[in-house]
Amino acid sequence: MDLTLLVFLLVYVAMGLGHLPGFNVDRTGAAIVGALVLMAAERITPADAWTAIDYRTIGMLFGLMVVSSAFAVSGFYDWTARRVGALEVRPPALLAILVLVAGGLSALLTNDVVVVAMTPLLVSITLARGLNPVPFLLAFCFAANTGSAATIIGSPQNMIAAQGLGLSFNGYLRAALVPAVLSLPVVWAVLAFLYRGRWQLEEPRGSAAPLPPAAFDRVETAKAAAVTLGVVAAFVLSDWPRELIALTGASLLLVNRKIASTDMLGHVDGNLLLMLMGLFVVNAAMAATGLPQQVLAGLRGAGIDLHEPLPLLLVVSALSNVVGNNPAVMLLVPFLHAGGDPEALGAALALGTGFSSNLIVFGSLAGIIVVEQAAKQGVPIGFGEFARAGLPVALACLALAAVWIAAFVA
């Protein structure tokens, strides 16, 4: 147990810091190395390690990443960003439109792919218009995080929670759609208030040279849209295994006469998939020691029962800002089977991770992507500036989630 606990703690330190202290090992590397060490030390057998990996979650996530990447290679994200950026409206109205676009796309497509594809374009477009890019980038990031909580397919942690708790697409939608939609006006209101009078650039910041437009293929975009609608319809109307639905959609898009499969697969976040696989193994080895069950029993004895949605909302919100939203959900889901309302618990997990992830830069992969890509184009967004907007957004949205769960779900 001592070695298992040590490996577990080191892996989750890497999850929180983004790397293993003292080594050039990122989150994915830490998860994979941790899993391999535990197998080599016979703390978990290779057979049990393979069994621990939830192929349903990995298959569904991979399939949906491919579906989302089809919109990237067809030029749809580029086209959308440019159309929004070219609208002749005042900055607060442009901010509102951007929030709606980010929330809507992230609810139907994997939010991290949307953020990766559109962030550089938003920087270029706002600079070219003489606008301060920071409020628009923050609004886009925050709306992508909160809007993605609306559906199972919006983010990896939603998929993990839904698969682990056995939630249907419709059951999850009933639990999370309303607060996710209501979070978007909150994001707009906070950013519009904080940056009132500061929409224009006071001095040159970064390069205003626009990025060359990507070719927009209407046929490929229409094909990707048709497959996406088919996947969602199958989720809603059928009881087919969700991973098979997603993988079928991916296969239809990968077999293409115009776009190479390597180009499409290049947009799939393989590091995330490997990290999740490693964490499944590390968590299973830790669960076998009985320590997590003892911790949960201690919390229950202290009046914090994670089978109740409101305590779960608070715990997962705090935990996701320590180790990340995906690892936080993976840690808790295996121990939520024994009781409680699955839909309420699913809402607590998804809303807690999605809404709290705007608190700090490292609370979500979307936040990291936005800050890093903006910095590459000469637009620094400091930790303090991110938190100054993210703190009120996260707290207001979490309060909204708590009220929703208490009044309508629990």
Side-chain angles (χ1 to χ4, degrees):
M1 177 174 172
D2 291 342
L3 177 61
T4 303
L5 178 59
L6 176 62
V7 171
F8 176 85
L9 291 176
L10 288 175
V11 167
Y12 275 89
V13 165
M15 293 300 112
L17 298 178
H19 67 280
L20 190 62
F23 298 91
N24 191 17
V25 179
D26 63 5
R27 291 182 175 94
T28 300
I32 295 300
V33 170
L36 294 176
V37 167
L38 291 173
M39 284 190 285
E42 298 184 345
R43 293 305 193 270
I44 186 170
T45 67
D48 288 340
W50 279 115
T51 302
I53 297 172
D54 188 346
Y55 70 89
R56 299 170 304 164
T57 299
I58 298 298
M60 182 169 68
L61 179 55
F62 172 77
L64 292 174
M65 282 182 173
V66 173
V67 172
S68 184
S69 71
F71 289 95
V73 295
S74 72
F76 171 75
Y77 293 133
D78 185 289
W79 177 83
T80 300
R82 294 182 188 280
R83 288 293 297 270
V84 171
L87 293 173
E88 295 295 332
V89 295
R90 294 174 59 83
L94 181 62
L95 188 78
I97 295 169
L98 189 60
V99 165
L100 291 175
V101 169
L105 288 179
S106 296
L108 293 175
L109 305 169
T110 309
N111 63 340
D112 296 336
V113 177
V114 175
V115 172
V116 168
M118 294 185 65
T119 296
L121 292 164
L122 294 175
V123 174
S124 177
I125 291 167
T126 50
L127 288 175
R129 291 183 59 166
L131 295 173
N132 178 8
V134 175
F136 298 97
L137 292 174
L138 292 179
F140 181 72
C141 173
F142 297 164
N145 280 331
T146 64
S148 68
T151 68
I152 286 176
I153 60 179
S155 70
Q157 68 263 26
N158 298 358
M159 301 176 205
I160 296 167
Q163 292 289 95
L165 295 173
L167 295 179
S168 68
F169 189 92
N170 295 341
Y172 179 95
L173 202 65
R174 284 194 301 270
L177 176 62
V178 171
V181 171
L182 293 178
S183 72
L184 300 181
V186 172
V187 171
W188 175 84
V190 171
L191 270 299
F193 176 77
L194 290 178
Y195 286 90
R196 65 194 187 283
R198 294 194 291 146
W199 299 111
Q200 305 296 325
L201 284 175
E202 296 179 0
E203 57 184 25
R205 191 178 186 181
S207 173
L211 295 176
F216 177 49
D217 192 318
R218 297 180 185 275
V219 173
E220 292 301 323
T221 297
K223 185 190 301 183
V227 170
T228 301
L229 291 175
V231 167
V232 173
F235 282 156
V236 173
L237 301 175
S238 77
D239 57 358
W240 296 339
R242 285 194 288 259
E243 67 276 11
L244 295 183
I245 294 172
L247 290 171
T248 299
S251 66
L252 291 174
L253 292 169
L254 286 170
V255 180
N256 196 305
R257 298 178 64 182
K258 185 181 298 185
I259 298 175
S261 58
T262 52
D263 292 338
M264 201 172 296
L265 292 173
H267 293 272
V268 172
D269 192 345
N271 279 336
L272 176 60
L273 295 172
L274 286 173
M275 184 189 79
L276 296 181
M277 293 169 69
L279 288 179
F280 275 125
V281 176
V282 172
N283 290 348
M286 189 63 192
T289 67
L291 183 59
Q293 294 86 334
Q294 295 175 26
V295 172
L296 292 177
L299 289 174
R300 192 177 302 113
I304 304 174
D305 187 356
L306 297 188
H307 288 105
E308 295 295 328
L310 287 178
L312 179 61
L313 175 73
L314 296 177
V315 169
V316 78
S317 298
L319 189 60
S320 66
N321 279 287
V322 177
V323 301
N325 41 28
N326 294 317
V329 172
M330 294 181 71
L331 268 176
L332 296 175
V333 162
F335 306 104
L336 300 179
H337 291 232
D341 178 1
E343 290 186 5
L345 297 179
L349 288 170
L351 298 176
T353 54
F355 289 2
S356 71
S357 59
N358 291 325
L359 187 63
I360 57 175
V361 172
F362 303 109
S364 70
L365 183 57
I368 296 171
I369 291 168
V370 166
V371 169
E372 289 184 349
Q373 292 198 359
K376 289 178 180 178
Q377 293 182 263
V379 181
I381 302 176
F383 185 92
E385 185 162 21
F386 190 101
R388 178 174 175 266
L391 178 62
V393 167
L395 293 180
C397 290
L398 286 172
L400 170 66
V403 170
W404 167 258
I405 290 173
F408 299 104
V409 180

